[in-house]
Structures are given as C-alpha cells and as structure tokens.
C-alpha cells in the first residue's frame, strides 16, 4: 500500500508541476525585429525561424523598402513578414500551438480578402475570412487552438494605385501560445485527494501499531 500511495503522489505532484509550468508560459509575439539586417531589403526567413517551418513564399521585408505602400504602412517597427508573389503562406511545426492573432495589411489592394485556416494532422479545424486594406495594420483575433499548420490565402480587392499589383499581404506581431497540458482537478478536488491520502496514511499507521 505504501508503494502505491507514494507512486500516486508522485503522479499528482508531476501534474501540478506541469500545469504550473504552462501557467508561467506567456504568449509569444513574433515581431521579426531580430532579423533586421540594417539595410532596406526583402529576403527569405532564416531556416526554422522561431521554431517553425515556413513555406517558400514566406519572406521578410523592411519598412522602407517600398515606401508609400502597404509594405511600409503594415510594418510595425523595421521588419515584417509577407507572401512572395502573392502566393499562399504557410507555417507549421511538429508540436501543436494556439494561433491567437496578428496584424495583417494588404500591400497593393484595398478590401483584399484573406482566408486564414488552421489544421491539425492534415485536418482543417478552423477557417476565417478577413478584409484588409493598404492604409495601415489591423489586428485580427483568431484564437485557433491546438493546430500544427497555419495558412494565409489572399485574393481580390481593388488596386489602390500605389505603383504595383498582386495579392501580397503584410503580417506582423504574430501571436501564438503553447497548447496546455490535460486539465487538472479544481482546488476542491485536490483537497479531497490529499484528505484521502492522509486517511490512508493514518490507517496504515494505526495498523502498524496494532501489529506491534
């Protein structure tokens, strides 16, 4: 009985530690500022940037490379993310995550429609359509939970006559968080659990005294 009780207690405390570690894990905001090269340019993201796998269309752009466009107005700080050639931009990783939100701006077209979808193990579980403009970044909440792949697909809108064209979008301050571990019991349940463990220990102690 003693070994079983001790083993169960270890499981309980391990669960508490896991939950506490998650509770202390803050949301992560991917700003892309750490890859600013010091000059105005656009280029591929570093391999596995931020612990994610990025599609070939995922590029970074500096704020003043194309002034007077959505590339400039949509960049918060010096660097942002964009979809090269207006192609779909996908993000994925082996460990599931929650996609909370991001700032999204159209580079050339006002009222551009962007379909943002999330999936897990190849099965789409979330999809939203947002409308973007070239005038500045708009923050969109998504709250996609427990996904491993995120895809941005942009199309349509009216050309804003900014000197270019295409279905390019600018993404910045992308927010995500880890997926929480399995739920743990409420405090009242813990109280009952420890009361039960105490009762077992007390009963064992009394039984030991009787044997003596």
């Amino acid at each position: 009985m003693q070994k079983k009780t001790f083993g169960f207690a270890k499981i309980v405390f391990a669960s508490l530690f896991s939950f506490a570690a998650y509770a202390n894990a803050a949301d992560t905001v991917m700003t892309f500022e750490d890859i600013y090269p010091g000059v105005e340019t656009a280029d591929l993201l570093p391999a596995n940037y931020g612990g994610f796998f990025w599609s070939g269309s995922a590029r970074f752009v500096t704020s003043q490379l194309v002034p007077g466009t959505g590339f400039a107005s949509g960049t918060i700080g010096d660097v942002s993310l964009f979809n090269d050639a207006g192609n779909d931009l996908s993000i994925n990783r082996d460990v599931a995550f929650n996609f909370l939100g991001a700032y999204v701006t159209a580079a050339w077209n006002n009222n551009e429609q962007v379909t943002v979808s999330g999936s897990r193990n190849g099965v789409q579980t979330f999809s939203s359509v947002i409308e973007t403009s070239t005038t500045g970044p708009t923050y969109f909440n998504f709250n996609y939970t427990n996904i491993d792949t995120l895809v941005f697909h942009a199309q349509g809108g009216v050309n804003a006559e900014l000197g270019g064209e295409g279905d390019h979008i600018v993404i910045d301050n992308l927010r995500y968080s880890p997926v929480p571990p399995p739920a743990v019991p409420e405090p009242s349940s813990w109280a009952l659990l420890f009361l039960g463990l105490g009762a077992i220990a007390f009963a064992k102690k009394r039984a030991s005294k009787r044997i003596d």
Side-chain angles (χ1 to χ4, degrees):
M1 177 64 74
Q2 184 178 9
K3 289 184 178 179
K4 288 184 178 180
T5 303
F6 180 68
F8 184 67
K10 286 201 299 184
I11 294 173
V12 168
F13 287 115
S15 299
L16 281 171
F17 179 81
S18 175
F19 183 77
Y22 169 74
N24 291 328
D27 300 345
T28 298
V29 179
M30 198 177 296
T31 66
F32 308 101
E33 296 299 302
D34 57 331
I35 54 176
Y36 179 55
V39 295
E40 300 302 326
T41 188
D43 207 344
L44 287 168
L45 288 176
N48 300 327
Y49 178 74
F52 288 82
F53 300 103
W54 304 81
S55 61
S57 63
R59 307 292 177 99
F60 75 86
V61 62
T62 54
S63 61
Q64 295 306 309
L65 180 66
V66 194
T69 69
F71 289 109
S73 63
T75 300
I76 302 170
D78 294 312
V79 184
S80 61
L81 175 71
F82 79 100
N83 58 329
D84 188 41
N87 293 326
D88 288 1
L89 189 157
S90 66
I91 308 168
N92 68 84
R93 71 175 185 176
D94 296 332
V95 180
F97 62 98
N98 301 321
F99 172 51
L100 306 177
Y103 285 93
V104 186
T105 310
W108 307 113
N109 304 325
N110 287 322
N111 307 118
E112 185 167 13
Q113 305 291 306
V114 181
T115 301
V116 183
S117 58
S119 61
R120 178 74 190 273
N121 297 327
V123 178
Q124 181 175 298
T125 52
F126 296 93
S127 182
S128 302
V129 178
I130 59 175
E131 187 172 279
T132 60
S133 73
T134 62
T135 57
T138 302
Y139 187 80
F140 296 92
N141 285 303
F142 291 96
N143 295 318
Y144 292 179
T145 58
N146 197 29
I147 64 172
D148 57 26
T149 302
L150 184 65
V151 179
F152 292 83
H153 170 76
Q155 65 178 1
V158 179
N159 190 277
E161 305 297 334
L162 300 176
E165 61 181 12
D167 295 325
H168 303 79
I169 55 173
V170 180
I171 303 167
D172 212 343
N173 286 17
L174 188 153
R175 291 179 60 236
Y176 67 94
S177 69
V179 173
V184 296
E186 294 294 324
S188 58
S189 299
W190 287 121
L192 289 174
L193 173 63
F194 287 118
L195 182 62
L197 290 174
I200 291 173
F202 180 72
K204 179 174 175 53
K205 186 175 181 180
R206 288 191 63 185
S208 177
K209 286 183 177 179
R210 288 173 182 171
I211 293 173
D212 295 341

